[in-house]
Amino acid sequence: IAIVTRCRSSLLSAIDSVVNQDYPGHLHLLLVGDNSPEILTIVRQIGRDNVIISAISVSGLNSNTDNHPLPRVAILRNIAVTLLETPLIAFLDDDNTWETNHLSSLYSLLTREDAEATHSWRRLLREDGEPWIPTRFPWSKRDSLSERHLFGVYRKLGVFSDDEIVRDTVTLPFEGRDYGTVDMGEWLFSRSLLVRFPFEYRYS
């Protein structure tokens, strides 16, 4: 499991949700600090017995990624894949958490289907933990054309509905375009898949 982070205050909640998984196998949590040396101190303070926790702080990334978070995160995730030796790998953002059975349910599906990757859906929650039912597309600039268009499409296609569940799917064709998307925190991958197909970090 890898968490790429700049040590936001929500990081400890993300770590707790990993530590509290009911997955029966061994877990190795790697914290990849994005130019965040303080991550090494955080690991020493956790002191958990049921999960191996390690950390690395990465600095000196190519300057052309400085103002673009997606390429930076892609590079850091590729570093995590190189460092993790577990046969399965999952990623969690430092401002998200997993339900207790997240990994075990994905592992069950992965083995049942003899697949190399599988994913879940996700729930949107407010900071106080209460469900948030989307009335807008929350990952676009507010009041933008993109926000209004995407909310309409995902509402029409059932990704958004009258509850807090986001029903992500890999392929979602609509009017000549594929709107499929799955948040990275929903996936469980075989490591070999990520070695063959590393994260792309070069964009036009």
Side-chain angles (χ1 to χ4, degrees):
I1 301 159
I3 298 178
V4 174
T5 183
R6 283 190 169 175
C7 295
R8 291 190 283 184
S9 59
S10 55
L11 174 61
L12 292 179
S13 294
I15 292 173
D16 280 342
S17 77
V18 172
V19 171
N20 293 322
Q21 290 295 299
D22 63 8
Y23 177 74
H26 299 290
L27 294 179
H28 177 188
L29 172 58
L30 173 64
L31 304 177
V32 183
D34 183 1
N35 197 28
S36 302
E38 63 269 30
I39 197 71
L40 306 176
T41 302
I42 290 176
V43 169
R44 288 195 292 268
Q45 294 173 345
I46 295 173
R48 304 283 187 170
D49 295 329
N50 57 330
V51 179
I52 297 172
I53 302 177
S54 58
I56 181 175
S57 178
V58 179
S59 59
L61 291 182
N62 191 307
S63 60
N64 66 11
T65 68
D66 287 348
N67 297 317
H68 302 281
L70 291 180
R72 290 181 71 86
V73 170
I75 292 170
L76 294 168
R77 284 175 175 156
N78 285 336
I79 291 172
V81 172
T82 300
L83 295 175
L84 287 169
E85 298 179 349
T86 52
L88 301 174
I89 294 179
F91 299 91
L92 179 62
D93 288 345
D94 63 2
D95 60 344
N96 291 340
T97 59
W98 283 335
E99 295 189 5
T100 304
N101 68 338
H102 177 75
L103 289 177
S104 61
S105 61
L106 289 179
Y107 176 72
S108 176
L109 180 61
L110 193 80
T111 53
R112 186 173 72 243
E113 299 296 328
D114 192 25
E116 290 192 281
T118 189
H119 70 84
S120 65
W121 289 344
R122 53 183 158 159
R123 299 173 63 219
L124 300 180
L125 304 176
R126 300 191 313 228
E127 288 187 5
D128 62 4
E130 290 299 310
W132 183 72
I133 299 173
T135 56
R136 52 178 292 267
F137 187 77
W139 301 286
S140 286
K141 186 176 180 180
R142 186 178 288 275
D143 296 325
S144 65
L145 178 62
S146 171
E147 178 200 46
R148 293 191 296 274
H149 173 71
L150 289 173
F151 179 74
V153 169
Y154 286 123
R155 177 78 186 189
K156 180 180 182 69
L157 298 179
V159 175
F160 293 155
S161 61
D162 292 328
D163 57 28
E164 74 278 14
I165 306 298
V166 180
R167 293 164 176 83
D168 286 331
T169 182
V170 175
T171 302
L172 195 64
F174 180 69
E175 295 184 348
R177 178 179 169 185
D178 191 346
Y179 288 86
T181 181
V182 178
D183 185 80
M184 189 54 58
E186 299 175 54
W187 285 99
L188 180 63
F189 298 100
S190 68
R191 184 180 184 277
S192 61
L193 182 67
L194 295 175
V195 170
R196 298 199 310 274
F197 301 103
F199 292 98
E200 182 58 75
Y201 58 88
R202 293 162 296 187
Y203 297 88
S204 64

